[in-house]
């Protein structure tokens, strides 16, 4: 048993929020550079060059690379040998978010009630997901999720008869409907299987994978590749201005499902492909 | 093309979709919550906190300013959410809106009818965009925080013409050129 005081997560989360919002990883900037090289539209090439310049400028000057610093999605992978002490864990997580958004001069984009809509002023509450895993470590991942791309997400309760064709059709439909709104070039996170809620969570989790990394299962890896090629034939281009690079990647996460079900969740992610991770 | 604000009729009606403009002058922020309030005031026939005549509205909610900065990172938000307010804003004299993403087809019709423009900012290039803002003044609704109405004095602020006064839209004309399906 490893005892950890919950307050230990506060400075870690504070730092991860700031880091995720200010620094795009080299994985992302490399993908954008590659996109610029492949892009056929001169206007989109210019936009991609601006995005790269922006990423460099943001990281040098400790500024958020995008003003929509999102709702803060926090994934906690907690080793089952960890015993927590101190304040409630969720309060500590929210305190870390509060400090990160305050000290990093990040935007406070959360309203308290979906209908009454008063800004909470500190970007809390965070969207907290917990996974219990073997061991005595705690891995914390922060994903600041902007609304431009989140709003373009979709959920389809397909049937087994729809099969892989139904999946392809729905994904292309969601991407085309979104057009320039989710700030392409996008990463498409796909959750396949499980129940409705499981598929939705998997589609978000799919956005944590490095650009260029494939699902280990060959049939899913092939589907990712095929969808990526098809999406890049839509002509949407960077910010929807018309071009040949609409997506940087497609990531599928799948899970077992019911004999009657084929849930498909699609979570779109803009070019500000931000996340940061630490283990304590 | 460098453009000094306010936009003249001549510039408004001569620019075309895809033109890259570098704006210098005053633009005014308003997004979801500020639009809802402006619209309510218009419907009630109340006086607005700013005269929209000849103005450019920027759909934007910035990050707070860090030490030594006039404003934090900022950029356009998705315009489609402001579609329902577009006609009322044109009627009040707004000449152009800056945002990101495509809009409902009726917005192109409105641009044609009111001889106004829809301009696209570079979504997600927020640190660079903030650099073009030289002066900030809060005009109305301070309680809305990031969503309050602010005047920005910008220099060489880059935007792309998304809908021109003939009602042509960049998405409709450019996407088919690169479509391969
Ligand atoms: S969709 Fe992404 S890049 Fe575009 S404004 Fe929102 S957070 Fe920023």
């Amino acid at each position: 048993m490893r005892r950890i005081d919950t307050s230990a997560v506060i400075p870690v989360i504070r730092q991860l929020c700031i880091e995720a919002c200010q620094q795009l990883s080299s994985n992302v900037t490399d993908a954008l550079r590659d996109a610029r090289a492949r892009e056929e539209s001169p206007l989109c090439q210019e936009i991609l060059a601006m995005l790269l310049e922006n990423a460099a400028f943001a990281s040098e000057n400790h500024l958020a690379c995008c003003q929509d610093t999102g709702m803060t999605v926090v994934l906690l992978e907690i080793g089952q040998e960890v015993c927590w002490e101190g304040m409630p864990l969720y309060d500590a997580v929210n305190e870390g978010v509060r400090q990160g958004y305050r000290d990093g001069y990040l935007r406070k984009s959360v309203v308290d009630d979906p209908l009454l809509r008063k800004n909470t002023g500190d970007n809390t509450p965070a969207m907290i997901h917990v996974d219990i895993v073997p061991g005595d470590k705690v891995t914390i991942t922060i994903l600041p999720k902007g609304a431009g791309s989140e709003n373009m997400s979709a959920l389809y309760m397909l049937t087994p008869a729809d099969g892989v064709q139904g999946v392809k059709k729905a994904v292309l439909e969601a991407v085309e409907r979104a057009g320039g709104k989710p700030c392409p070039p996008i990463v498409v996170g796909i959750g396949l299987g499980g129940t409705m809620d499981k598929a939705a969570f998997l589609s978000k989790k799919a956005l944590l994978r490095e650009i260029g990394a494939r699902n280990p299962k060959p049939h899913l890896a092939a589907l990712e590749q095929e969808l990526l090629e098809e999406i890049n034939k839509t002509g949407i281009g960077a910010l929807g201005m018309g071009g040949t690079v609409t997506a940087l990647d497609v990531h599928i996460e799948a899970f077992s499902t019911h004999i009657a079900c084929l849930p498909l969740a699609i979570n779109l992610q803009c070019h500000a492909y931000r996340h940061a991770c630490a283990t304590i | 093309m460098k453009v000094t604000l306010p936009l003249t009729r001549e510039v408004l009606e001569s620019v075309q979709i895809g033109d890259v403009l570098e704006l210098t002058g005053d633009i005014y922020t308003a997004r979801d919550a500020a639009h809802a309030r402006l619209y309510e005031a218009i419907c009630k026939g109340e006086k607005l906190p700013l005269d929209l005549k000849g103005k450019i509205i920027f759909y934007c909610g910035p990050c707070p300013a860090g030490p030594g900065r006039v404003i934090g990172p900022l950029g356009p938000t998705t315009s489609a959410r402001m579609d329902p307010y577009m006609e009322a804003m044109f009627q009040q004299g707004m000449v152009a809106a800056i945002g990101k993403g495509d809009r409902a087809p009726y917005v192109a019709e409105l641009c044609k009818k009111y001889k106004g423009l829809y301009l696209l900012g570079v979504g997600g290039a927020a640190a660079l965009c903030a650099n073009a803002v030289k002066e900030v003044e809060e005009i109305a609704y301070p309680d809305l925080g990031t969503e309050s109405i602010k005047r920005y004095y910008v220099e060489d602020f880059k935007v792309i013409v998304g809908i021109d006064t003939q009602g042509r839209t960049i998405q409709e004309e450019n996407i088919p050129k690169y479509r391969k399906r």
Side-chain angles (χ1 to χ4, degrees):
Chain A
M1 205 50 96
R2 177 177 170 217
R3 293 180 181 278
I4 307 179
D5 195 287
T6 49
S7 63
V9 307
I10 298 173
V12 177
I13 290 179
R14 172 192 175 276
Q15 190 52 36
L16 290 176
C17 289
I18 297 174
E19 189 186 312
C21 289
Q22 294 183 346
Q23 301 218 356
L24 286 185
S25 69
S26 60
N27 174 246
V28 181
T29 49
D30 286 349
L32 288 171
R33 220 166 275 124
D34 187 52
R36 187 185 51 181
R38 275 182 294 137
E39 177 56 59
E40 290 170 24
S41 146
L43 183 56
C44 289
Q45 285 169 8
E46 194 178 330
I47 289 164
L48 291 165
M50 251 183 100
L51 295 180
L52 282 161
E53 197 189 331
N54 179 66
F57 185 79
S59 114
E60 272 162 37
N61 293 281
H62 305 288
L63 293 168
C65 64
C66 181
Q67 79 284 345
D68 187 353
T69 48
M71 274 201 106
T72 319
V73 180
V74 179
L75 271 95
L76 300 172
E77 285 165 290
I78 302 174
Q80 63 190 21
E81 286 158 42
V82 170
C83 175
W84 293 103
E85 292 177 338
M87 71 202 291
L89 178 61
Y90 281 27
D91 290 356
V93 169
N94 282 321
E95 182 56 27
V97 169
R98 189 173 292 123
Q99 292 185 9
Y101 277 67
R102 179 193 67 201
D103 299 345
Y105 300 93
L106 308 176
R107 199 178 78 183
K108 322 303 182 284
S109 314
V110 178
V111 293
D112 58 351
D113 178 288
L115 295 178
L116 304 176
R117 309 199 69 81
K118 188 175 173 306
N119 198 304
T120 60
D122 59 8
N123 223 55
T124 69
M127 300 294 105
I128 305 171
H129 298 281
V130 174
D131 220 351
I132 304 295
V133 297
D136 65 355
K137 301 266 185 295
V138 178
T139 299
I140 305 173
T141 305
I142 300 285
L143 190 166
K145 191 66 172 73
S149 53
E150 190 71 1
N151 274 347
M152 294 298 114
S153 303
L155 180 82
Y156 295 80
M157 297 307 283
L158 302 177
T159 65
D162 291 324
V164 70
Q165 289 311 325
V167 171
K168 287 184 208 166
K169 187 169 160 267
V171 172
L172 264 300
E173 191 180 283
V175 170
E176 297 224 55
R177 188 176 349 107
K181 293 188 189 87
C183 287
I186 53 176
V187 176
V188 182
I190 297 175
L192 201 54
T195 47
M196 179 193 85
D197 52 317
K198 181 76 176 178
F201 177 63
L202 288 176
S203 71
K204 175 116 317 100
K205 220 175 161 185
L207 299 178
L208 295 172
R209 204 197 296 166
E210 285 222 327
I211 294 168
R214 288 275 152 267
N215 188 297
K217 290 194 176 159
H219 71 294
L220 294 175
L223 183 56
E224 289 175 346
Q225 190 58 37
E226 186 184 343
L227 282 169
L228 178 60
E229 283 161 24
E230 286 306 308
I231 289 168
N232 283 331
K233 286 183 195 162
T234 58
I236 295 167
L239 300 180
M241 309 256 182
T244 53
V245 184
T246 301
L248 298 173
D249 212 349
V250 176
H251 296 162
I252 303 173
E253 294 293 329
F255 198 76
S256 310
T257 191
H258 188 278
I259 47 173
C261 288
L262 179 50
L264 164 68
I266 303 162
N267 196 196
L268 298 187
Q269 169 63 47
C270 55
H271 59 72
Y273 192 58
R274 303 167 285 194
H275 41 246
C277 181
T279 299
I280 52 177
Chain B
M1 171 181 163
K2 290 198 186 286
V3 176
T4 307
L5 303 177
L7 285 173
T8 61
R9 272 286 131 212
E10 198 195 334
V11 171
L12 270 170
E13 295 192 31
S14 65
V15 297
Q16 303 211 347
I17 49 167
D19 286 351
V20 180
L21 312 181
E22 290 178 16
L23 308 178
T24 296
D26 287 334
I27 60 177
Y28 296 80
T29 65
R31 51 173 291 161
D32 308 61
H35 270 81
R37 284 201 193 169
L38 287 171
Y39 187 68
E40 199 188 332
I42 293 168
C43 292
K44 287 185 182 156
E46 290 168 0
K47 191 174 176 310
L48 300 184
L50 81 165
D51 180 3
L52 289 168
K53 204 150 278 151
K55 301 269 190 325
I56 298 181
I57 294 295
F58 182 18
Y59 304 145
C60 164
C63 287
R69 301 197 172 266
V70 294
I71 191 84
L74 58 97
T77 191
T78 306
S79 307
R81 296 193 310 272
M82 268 55 78
D83 287 353
Y85 305 115
M86 196 69 174
E87 181 150 30
M89 298 294 281
F90 272 145
Q91 283 169 346
Q92 293 292 318
M94 177 186 81
V95 291
I98 305 172
K100 72 177 174 85
D102 24 352
R103 313 194 62 161
Y106 67 78
V107 174
E109 288 303 313
L110 294 174
C111 288
K112 197 168 157 186
K113 180 171 167 193
Y114 293 97
K115 297 278 173 249
L117 298 174
Y118 170 45
L119 305 169
L120 293 157
V122 179
L128 279 188
C129 284
N131 229 17
V133 179
K134 304 299 174 194
E135 204 181 289
V136 177
E137 180 193 1
E138 193 158 65
I139 302 280
Y141 312 144
D143 60 301
L144 293 181
T146 185
E147 293 201 69
S148 69
I149 297 183
K150 298 177 191 72
R151 178 183 65 84
Y152 290 168
Y153 178 80
V154 295
E155 272 173 26
D156 295 330
F157 185 76
K158 231 186 229 188
V159 293
I160 297 145
V161 179
I163 307 179
D164 59 26
T165 54
Q166 291 151 50
R168 293 163 65 209
T169 75
I170 193 168
Q171 288 90 355
E172 244 168 68
E173 298 206 10
N174 277 7
I175 292 176
K177 283 191 213 158
Y178 295 97
R179 198 177 164 84
K180 295 175 181 172
R181 307 181 70 226

